[in-house]
Amino acid sequence: MPLLSGHNSICLNATLLGLLAILAGTDTRTVLAQSAVRDTSIYPPQAPPPGVDLQRIQRQQEQAEYRVGALLRDIAGNLWVGSSQGLARIDPNTGRILARVNLPDVNIGALAEDKVGRIWVGTYEGLQRVDPRTNEITAQNFFMPSNRVLSLLIDKRGYLWVGGDRGLSLISPDKGLLMTTLRNLPGVSANALSLDPEGQLWVGTLDGLVRIDTTSAYPISRVTDLPGTTVQALALDPKGTLWVGTPSSLIELDPLTGKVVRTVTELAERNITTLRVDELGSLWVGTDGAVFRYNPYTGTLAGQVSGLPLARVFSLSPDTGNKLWVGTREGLAWVNLNTGAARAHRAFTRVSPQY
């Protein structure tokens, strides 16, 4: 099935095609969103306890070195890559690394850019603010309900919402101050965040969805009994539809009424890990080991990305350097939007014959 067709087709120009050698090598159910942990061994140098497969643990550690947990296209068009190697900024047109930022923790779960271009980095040890002009950390050590940051979002007023595994926090980006917290969040864990057409905040939790009044930071409604229960991903399309990803379903929801419009049968029993809407209104769906393009206007799958490693997809960045960028457990890849084929970025990915 072709990935793109008709007027939605995006053709790579000759310059972009010539960059393949630079960007890529020739080698071409259910896990809760907050369950990702630091992949480091808990065992001392002596022999492991009986029954423990130390080689398996070591293989898992090696794989974790390439995890790309978050991607962000900034206002200048650069791509920020949050990986297990740290935070980097790259030119998405050439794949060249422009800068690296030294962080106290490299388990990055979320990225956001505020209204003046500062980059906010959510890690499993807290929240940092990075000045992109100097690549220096300019704020950190906020007293939030939990330091384990899972999601970030800038609302229409310019305030930063921070979702953690024990609730929500609201930050003033300019002052770098914690304004308020919501510790008793229904569903506990703020796995994913999205605004609705009215500017209110929807939060994906361990038990469905919660709608938050962004002015008062108070819950105003809740949606439970969703297929898959745990909400791991959210995205708002141009029509005002809220798309909800769970460990077993892709769900279309009316955010103003909280009613489920339908469940996408083509992706039934798929573990939906991340969702992003591109400039054409297409919905990109990341799962365990695959990325799909879904057409919300026709209600059909428009294609599937080929060439990705069989690894969990953590992050997506469409419309970035005329490509779709994909962050997985095995590293970073970019997608040729004309053919739908993925290529690995050597600087962030293990070079393997599987690619």
Side-chain angles (χ1 to χ4, degrees):
M1 162 189 316
L3 185 70
L4 301 173
S5 60
H7 70 280
N8 287 345
S9 176
I10 301 178
C11 298
L12 296 178
N13 57 35
T15 301
L16 181 57
L17 288 172
L19 297 173
L20 294 179
I22 299 176
L23 287 171
T26 55
D27 304 320
T28 52
R29 114 156 169 171
T30 302
V31 179
L32 300 183
Q34 84 289 359
S35 65
V37 297
R38 187 193 300 270
D39 290 287
T40 55
S41 176
I42 62 174
Y43 302 114
Q46 63 266 26
V52 173
D53 185 350
L54 187 56
Q55 290 184 341
R56 179 181 60 82
I57 294 174
Q58 290 172 342
R59 289 195 299 270
Q60 290 176 344
Q61 292 171 353
E62 291 172 356
Q63 292 173 352
E65 294 176 2
Y66 297 90
R67 180 185 190 275
V68 177
L71 295 171
L72 172 71
R73 183 188 65 178
D74 67 18
I75 193 171
N78 295 315
L79 179 67
W80 291 83
V81 181
S83 74
S84 296
Q85 303 173 43
L87 180 66
R89 184 173 79 249
I90 71 173
D91 181 339
N93 296 299
T94 65
R96 184 169 64 91
I97 297 175
L98 303 174
R100 289 189 182 272
V101 181
N102 294 322
L103 297 174
D105 181 76
V106 294
N107 287 281
I108 298 171
L111 295 170
E113 181 182 27
D114 65 26
K115 291 195 172 182
V116 297
R118 292 167 299 211
I119 305 301
W120 291 84
V121 186
T123 76
Y124 296 162
E125 297 295 335
L127 177 69
Q128 286 90 37
R129 185 181 67 191
V130 175
D131 185 338
R133 298 168 299 179
T134 63
N135 298 318
E136 295 179 343
I137 298 173
T138 56
Q140 58 182 334
N141 300 326
F142 299 92
F143 294 100
M144 301 180 294
S146 169
N147 284 334
R148 192 180 184 83
V149 178
L150 305 175
S151 54
L152 296 172
L153 180 141
I154 300 291
D155 69 17
K156 292 185 176 180
R157 302 169 301 169
Y159 290 121
L160 175 68
W161 291 89
V162 183
D165 62 353
R166 296 182 185 175
L168 274 173
S169 302
L170 182 60
I171 303 285
S172 169
D174 293 331
K175 297 180 180 179
L177 296 175
L178 178 67
M179 298 177 63
T180 190
T181 61
L182 180 56
R183 296 177 182 269
N184 296 319
L185 176 71
V188 182
S189 180
N191 303 327
L193 304 174
S194 178
L195 295 178
D196 64 21
E198 294 184 346
Q200 305 295 12
L201 180 70
W202 281 92
V203 184
T205 75
L206 298 178
D207 188 20
L209 291 161
V210 180
R211 193 183 189 208
I212 304 292
D213 186 307
T214 52
T215 301
S216 65
Y218 188 80
I220 51 180
S221 63
R222 188 177 180 188
V223 179
T224 56
D225 298 324
L226 294 173
T229 306
T230 298
V231 174
Q232 301 180 140
L234 293 172
L236 188 73
D237 72 17
K239 300 183 300 179
T241 294
L242 185 65
W243 293 92
V244 182
T246 76
S248 64
S249 301
L250 176 63
I251 301 163
E252 183 179 358
L253 187 102
D254 184 337
L256 302 183
T257 65
K259 301 295 184 181
V260 173
V261 177
R262 64 194 173 98
T263 299
V264 178
T265 57
E266 294 93 333
L267 294 174
E269 304 306 315
R270 288 277 186 175
N271 184 11
I272 311 298
T273 54
T274 185
L275 297 169
R276 289 294 301 272
V277 176
D278 66 20
E279 293 175 352
L280 296 175
S282 296
L283 180 67
W284 293 94
V285 183
T287 70
D288 278 341
V291 174
F292 299 90
R293 178 176 172 265
Y294 183 79
N295 188 331
Y297 301 98
T298 62
T300 58
L301 285 180
Q304 177 178 348
V305 173
S306 60
L308 285 174
L310 295 177
R312 165 172 285 213
V313 177
F314 288 108
S315 49
L316 297 168
S317 183
D319 306 312
T320 306
N322 294 317
K323 309 171 188 68
L324 168 71
W325 291 86
V326 183
T328 77
R329 183 178 175 83
E330 290 293 333
L332 179 66
W334 62 273
V335 179
N336 180 324
L337 293 174
N338 192 42
T339 65
R343 290 278 198 152
H345 190 299
R346 282 180 176 270
F348 299 93
T349 307
R350 185 195 325 278
V351 177
S352 167
Q354 295 178 351
Y355 278 61

